[in-house]
Amino acid sequence: MYQIDFNIPSHIYFCGIGGISMSGLAEILLERGFTVSGSDMKASPLTEHLSRAGARIYIGQKAENITPGIDCVVFTSAIHKDNPEYVETLRLGLPMLSRAELLGQLMRNYSCPIAISGTHGKTTTTSMISEILMAADADPTVSVGGMLNSIGGNIRIGKGGCFVAEACEYTNSFLSMYPKIALILNIEEDHLDFFKDLEDIRHSFRLFARKVPADGLLIINGDIARYEQLTEGLPCQVRTFGTADTNDYYPLEISSLGERGMAARIMTPEGEAVISLHIPGRHNIYNAMAALAAADHLAIDREISLNALKDFEGSRRRFEYKGSFHGVTVIDDYAHHPTEITSTLTAAADCPHNRLWCVFQPHTYSRTKALMDDFAHALAKADVVVLSDIYPARETDTLGVSSADLQKKIAALGTECYYLPDFESIEKFLAKKCIHQDMLITMGAGDIVKVGEALLQA
């Protein structure tokens, strides 16, 4: 594998530079004096920001963008082998790295890299840990898979020894990381276009846990079935959080404050503590316990940690309040897995509303097909569901599945459900049907957020 010398700035090209993670890595390298260039299929606020910071951005991916003066080309897992830039990189014999390999190499430049993994909750927990470290004046470097208002984006470049980053299991990218502190928030079936089954996923998380050195810490959800199989024989310290009192961190009492957030009295190895959050959802109490466990290991003053959690306002696209139209509250959420959908709709149930509308954009054909029944039962928790076409992301094969299939299953469960393929039709339908005091949640990992934003601007 090609090794970047971070003490000798070179020219790094990013194929897919507009992605949330790629753009963050590009910005870190710019800050370190590297020459950065890259391409994406369309311009975005992220590419425009990088251009202003000194990167050369190409719109459109073409072979002529790859020149002999480039020292290394970085690709994401979404780039196919027939991509013209990938083909040209091979033809020229230029060194190449995956996004995860670059992130792993970058981590080694910090004394305390922190990697947050799990099927759900990575962005929120990464953001919580980052807020705590900033409140403690640890001056961390942060790479988060969402937009965090307190850092003005998805990246923060600090001077301290902590590097906080999300660790995604897709294509086993998190196995390229070198964390001193690793978190495993949960493990469920997902990314079944890559993994064979749940046991295959568990095997990868076991390998990730083994990346933690003897002087490091693994924080793991004790509610994960047979979690001991993942931690057995590890040389590092292990701390658990979860629902049962057998965990190191567990709740004694959890209370919903409605739209004002959540509160919980919890037990920790250092005694009782009270967590207050300004974001809704029981699941976020568990995210906060995991973040607190990391902070405790770093010997951060407990009062600083709890105040930082209390002040945390959430990440964009995580139960994000967008505004209201004609008395209809509009929320946007990134949930794209049945468990995430259930958590978001459960949190919404604690907030004042008349009818709860969920406008869902399924994400990838493979996930929709594999988890069809689970999606139906999760979405049926809303009063009314509106489905758009499936967002294909990296996929081209429809696998013979469509949102119409999901609509039939939801309707069969007794929930009012509509399938309207395009956003314009959805917007017109919602403008006519939603009434005063309804809550409307646009939901999915694609671009469904545009529907709510259009309604607010109408």
Side-chain angles (χ1 to χ4, degrees), residues 236-305:
C236 65
Q237 181 184 1
V238 176
R239 285 236 160 139
T240 63
F241 68 96
T243 57
D245 60 10
T246 52
N247 292 292
D248 296 305
Y249 293 76
Y250 62 91
L252 298 169
E253 181 183 11
I254 299 178
S255 303
S256 170
L257 305 178
E259 59 188 355
R260 293 183 292 116
M262 302 293 296
R265 186 166 59 91
I266 69 168
M267 182 60 73
T268 79
E270 289 76 32
E272 288 191 23
V274 175
I275 291 175
S276 296
L277 300 176
H278 283 154
I279 53 176
R282 290 177 65 91
H283 60 289
N284 281 318
I285 291 295
Y286 293 94
N287 291 335
M289 286 195 292
L292 187 62
D296 287 347
H297 181 74
L298 294 170
I300 294 174
D301 183 270
R302 177 63 68 78
E303 185 175 356
I304 291 175
S305 298

Side-chain angles (χ1 to χ4, degrees), residues 179-198:
K180 187 74 170 289
I181 300 175
L183 285 75
I184 300 179
L185 301 175
N186 36 63
I187 301 176
E188 294 190 36
E189 284 185 311
D190 199 10
H191 301 304
L192 295 176
D193 57 328
F194 176 77
F195 294 108
K196 291 184 295 185
D197 50 29
L198 182 58

Side-chain angles (χ1 to χ4, degrees), residues 191-254:
H191 301 304
L192 295 176
D193 57 328
F194 176 77
F195 294 108
K196 291 184 295 185
D197 50 29
L198 182 58
E199 286 306 311
D200 190 24
I201 297 171
R202 286 174 59 88
H203 173 70
S204 289
F205 274 94
R206 164 67 175 169
L207 295 177
F208 174 68
R210 291 172 61 182
K211 304 282 291 187
V212 183
D215 60 345
L217 170 69
L218 174 68
I219 300 167
I220 187 168
N221 187 342
D223 293 341
I224 295 172
R226 297 174 285 120
Y227 86 88
E228 297 89 350
Q229 291 180 351
L230 307 176
T231 61
E232 183 180 6
L234 294 181
C236 65
Q237 181 184 1
V238 176
R239 285 236 160 139
T240 63
F241 68 96
T243 57
D245 60 10
T246 52
N247 292 292
D248 296 305
Y249 293 76
Y250 62 91
L252 298 169
E253 181 183 11
I254 299 178

Side-chain angles (χ1 to χ4, degrees), residues 379-454:
L379 289 163
K381 295 182 183 299
D383 295 311
V384 189
V385 178
V386 178
L387 301 174
S388 73
D389 270 336
I390 296 171
Y391 187 84
R394 55 190 173 267
E395 297 180 345
T396 55
D397 187 349
T398 67
L399 303 177
V401 67
S402 79
S403 292
D405 302 316
L406 182 56
Q407 187 271 335
K408 292 175 184 176
K409 286 187 174 289
I410 295 170
L413 293 172
T415 296
E416 189 177 345
C417 184
Y418 303 89
Y419 165 45
L420 300 170
D422 62 274
F423 286 2
E424 183 178 357
S425 299
I426 293 173
E427 290 158 17
K428 290 180 179 177
F429 178 80
L430 294 172
K432 182 178 179 181
K433 295 291 186 179
C434 290
I435 61 174
H436 184 69
Q437 293 187 341
D438 281 355
M439 177 180 284
L440 170 66
I441 303 181
T442 54
M443 186 181 291
D447 55 354
I448 194 66
V449 61
K450 293 177 181 178
V451 169
E453 291 175 342

